[in-house]
Amino acid sequence: MKHRVYVVGIGPGSLQGMTLQAREILDGCDCIVGYDTYINLIRHYFPGKEFVTTGMTKEVERCRMVRDRALQGQTVAIVSSGDAGIYGMAGIMHEVAAGEDIDIEVIPGVTAASAGAALLGAPLVADTCLISLSDLLTPWEKIANRLDCAAAGDFVICLYNPASKKRADYLEKACDIILRHQPADTPAGIVRNIGREGQEVTVLTLGELRKMHLDMFCTVFIGNSQTKNIGGKLVTPRGYHL
């Protein structure tokens, strides 16, 4: 009999932002594994479950624990905030379990780009790029090239992990790259703590965004040449004739 591992996207962190499928899967699991911050968001929704947590940068260790528990016969899930397949645990879980008698089922969730876009209006209606500014696993040179190409291609750009204590100037550097191709008055937006306590939504311009000091709980949206500020909401036209 094949063993099974679930990789579950829990959305922004509230029960309302979690899909019914994700809730049903977690309800049926013996053990739920995840980064301690994300487990703390959902622990009280699933009383009686065994929870196993690790800190940041322990992703491989986390997946090995999940693999080993599954091989021992447990029904086990590993969780990611947002969608597990977008900057989440789905990829590394497949890599760690490669060659084992394990079926991996990925349960999609609401990612920060779509959740944040809904709060801002409709910025992602046209072609969009998701780019993480974290250089923990990707060299800054490659990130910078992706930003340059996305801006040159007139994509709406959504930035994940825009800043941290070690990367305090990365958002400014990213904006400078995008400003090579887009004017400073390009509409932009910031959403902090999406779907959680302390949620904040800010609409501004690319030029103003360059000077902002953000953290890892923020998601940034930068419009393309067509994006408008309509009554305080960011809207990127799809191209319909009105």
Side-chain angles (χ1 to χ4, degrees):
M1 181 185 76
K2 266 192 174 287
H3 304 282
R4 184 174 295 273
V5 164
Y6 296 100
V7 190
V8 181
I10 62 170
S14 65
L15 195 62
Q16 294 88 342
M18 196 181 301
T19 68
L20 289 174
Q21 184 186 24
R23 290 165 63 178
E24 289 172 1
I25 292 296
L26 294 177
D27 271 330
C29 286
D30 302 315
C31 177
I32 302 173
V33 179
Y35 172 44
D36 47 19
T37 298
Y38 302 148
I39 290 293
N40 289 337
L41 290 173
I42 65 168
R43 188 188 295 271
H44 57 289
Y45 298 135
F46 302 97
K49 298 294 178 185
E50 179 188 5
F51 290 97
V52 178
T53 66
T54 64
M56 192 174 287
T57 75
K58 301 292 185 180
E59 291 82 1
V60 174
E61 177 184 322
R62 227 175 289 154
C63 289
R64 286 174 178 159
M65 289 192 296
V66 170
R67 176 198 62 195
D68 294 344
R69 285 170 177 267
L71 291 172
Q72 291 165 12
Q74 278 194 312
T75 303
V76 59
I78 184 167
V79 298
S80 286
S81 68
D83 187 302
I86 300 176
Y87 303 119
M89 299 299 295
I92 185 61
M93 191 67 245
H94 275 282
E95 290 181 278
V96 168
E100 300 287 356
D101 190 29
I102 295 176
D103 277 333
I104 297 174
E105 185 172 348
V106 179
I107 310 300
V110 180
T111 189
S114 54
L119 293 167
L120 283 165
L124 307 185
V125 174
D127 293 338
T128 301
C129 280
L130 308 183
I131 300 176
S132 171
L133 294 192
S134 173
D135 61 354
L136 197 61
L137 300 172
T138 304
W140 169 253
E141 292 73 21
K142 184 172 286 189
I143 296 170
N145 183 57
R146 290 171 178 171
L147 288 164
D148 191 57
C149 291
D154 199 27
F155 283 85
V156 178
I157 299 173
C158 179
L159 299 179
Y160 282 58
N161 307 312
S164 68
K165 290 180 180 178
K166 293 182 179 179
R167 298 182 291 106
D169 63 339
Y170 275 33
L171 179 61
E172 180 180 354
K173 290 162 65 175
C175 289
D176 285 341
I177 292 169
I178 297 168
L179 282 163
R180 299 173 189 166
H181 307 281
Q182 300 288 4
D185 62 356
T186 299
I190 304 164
V191 187
R192 188 174 191 276
N193 288 329
I194 298 171
R196 304 172 188 168
E197 186 178 349
Q199 177 178 283
E200 299 174 3
V201 180
T202 305
V203 173
L204 67 176
T205 66
L206 175 57
E208 292 168 334
L209 176 66
R210 182 181 180 276
K211 302 167 187 171
M212 299 295 290
H213 298 285
L214 306 183
D215 58 30
M216 292 285 283
F217 296 102
C218 296
T219 305
V220 172
F221 299 77
I222 300 168
N224 68 8
S225 61
Q226 305 301 309
T227 304
K228 306 173 183 178
N229 183 331
I230 301 179
K233 297 290 187 179
L234 296 188
V235 179
T236 303
R238 183 74 174 88
Y240 298 108
H241 297 290
L242 302 179

